[in-house]
């Protein structure tokens, strides 16, 4: 990855962390904090929670990047995948802006209801480090349009770069979510919405560039 790609990843993640991430992960974050409000060193527990959330992202990035490496064996297939991934990013960005039924289709609750709802409910019985590890990792697996964007980016790379993309994404969201209560109260809704829209526009632009690279590869 070059520096411009890394800066794009960080820009989208930081902007969206103050808007989209608050709406998607804020509830889980608050639930964990309340669950451990009487525990010693709550900040350390929150750090553990988010560290394992990021670890889940890294694991997903490695898997999707590995799949991208398989596609890269054939140049035509790779160029086609770039084009399709680019179109998906554009569609995703528009869906995040417009929201409604299109976004509901993308952020489908099937995975959560089928595979995550029961484990998360059971994990809510755990406090301390154990709770931080389990709940944090499960939080990282929750269906999210923004995570899909980064996984699509990971799939356009290889396993190592895919994991790196997700690591950068996770670390970029860490300040906003680690200090959720403090920052959320300081920012009004208009600022949160503005940050989210700017990040969605960047997703669309990134998708256009990737789709163009895929088309150019066919020439």
């Amino acid at each position: 990855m070059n520096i411009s790609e890394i800066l794009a990843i960080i820009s989208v993640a930081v902007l969206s962390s103050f808007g989209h991430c608050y709406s998607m992960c804020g509830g889980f974050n608050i639930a964990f904090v309340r669950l451990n409000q009487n525990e010693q060193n709550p900040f350390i527990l929150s750090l553990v929670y988010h560290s394992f959330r990021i670890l889940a992202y890294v694991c997903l990035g490695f898997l999707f990047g590995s799949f991208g490496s398989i596609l890269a064996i054939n140049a035509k297939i790779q160029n086609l995948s770039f084009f399709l991934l680019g179109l998906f990013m554009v569609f995703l960005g528009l869906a995040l802006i417009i929201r409604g039924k299109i976004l509901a289709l993308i952020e489908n609750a099937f995975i959560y209801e089928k595979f995550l709802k029961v484990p998360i409910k059971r994990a809510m019985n755990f406090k301390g480090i154990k709770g931080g590890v389990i709940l944090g990792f499960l939080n990282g697996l929750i269906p999210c349009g923004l995570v899909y964007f980064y996984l699509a980016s990971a799939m356009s790379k290889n396993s190592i770069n895919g994991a790196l993309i997700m690591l950068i994404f996770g670390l970029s969201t860490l300040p906003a979510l680690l200090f959720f209560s403090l920052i959320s109260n300081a920012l009004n809704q208009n600022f949160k919405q503005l940050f989210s829209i700017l990040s969605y526009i960047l997703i669309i632009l990134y998708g256009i560039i990737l789709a163009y690279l895929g088309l150019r590869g066919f020439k």
Side-chain angles (χ1 to χ4, degrees):
M1 290 192 299
N2 56 47
I3 188 65
S4 61
E5 289 179 303
I6 294 175
L7 289 176
I9 292 169
I10 294 174
S11 299
V12 174
V14 171
L15 286 171
S16 59
S17 67
F18 293 104
H20 184 87
C21 291
Y22 276 6
S23 62
M24 287 297 298
C25 297
F28 293 98
N29 196 74
I30 291 174
F32 178 75
V33 171
R34 288 178 177 174
L35 185 67
N36 292 276
Q37 60 185 351
N38 295 323
E39 296 289 318
Q40 292 183 340
N41 300 317
F43 179 79
I44 298 298
L45 291 178
S46 291
L47 189 60
V48 170
Y49 175 90
H50 289 294
S51 296
F52 278 84
R53 173 178 62 86
I54 294 171
L55 177 60
Y57 294 154
V58 172
C59 292
L60 289 173
F62 184 86
L63 289 175
F64 277 75
S66 298
F67 184 68
S69 297
I70 296 174
L71 297 177
I73 294 175
N74 184 291
K76 289 185 177 180
I77 294 178
Q78 185 182 41
N79 289 327
L80 177 61
S81 69
F82 281 1
F83 178 69
L84 294 176
L85 287 172
L87 290 183
F88 170 74
M89 290 178 184
V90 172
F91 177 76
L92 176 62
L94 291 173
L96 286 166
I97 292 175
I98 299 171
R99 308 191 76 80
K101 292 183 178 180
I102 297 177
L103 182 60
L105 178 64
I106 295 174
E107 294 180 341
N108 195 285
F110 173 79
I111 295 176
Y112 174 77
E113 293 288 339
K114 188 72 174 178
F115 301 104
L116 298 174
K117 184 177 180 178
V118 173
I120 288 177
K121 187 175 180 180
R122 291 177 178 173
M124 292 299 289
N125 295 318
F126 302 134
K127 294 183 180 181
I129 298 295
K130 184 177 182 180
V133 170
I134 298 174
L135 285 171
F137 193 85
L138 291 174
N139 186 179
L141 301 178
I142 292 174
C144 167
L146 190 64
V147 172
Y148 293 161
F149 161 68
Y150 283 101
L151 289 179
S153 301
M155 202 163 72
S156 69
K157 303 297 181 181
N158 54 42
S159 57
I160 301 301
N161 282 330
L164 182 59
I165 285 173
M166 298 305 289
L167 175 62
I168 295 172
F169 160 58
L171 291 176
S172 298
T173 65
L174 185 59
L177 291 176
L178 190 59
F179 300 100
F180 176 82
S181 298
L182 181 64
I183 298 176
S184 181
N185 292 331
L187 291 176
N188 63 41
Q189 190 60 36
N190 290 332
F191 274 110
K192 293 176 186 178
Q193 188 173 8
L194 175 62
F195 290 151
S196 293
I197 291 176
L198 288 175
S199 68
Y200 303 155
I201 291 173
L202 289 175
I203 289 175
I204 293 172
L205 293 175
Y206 194 91
I208 292 173
I209 293 172
L210 188 59
Y212 169 73
L213 291 176
L215 280 177
R216 192 177 68 174
F218 284 106
K219 295 181 180 181

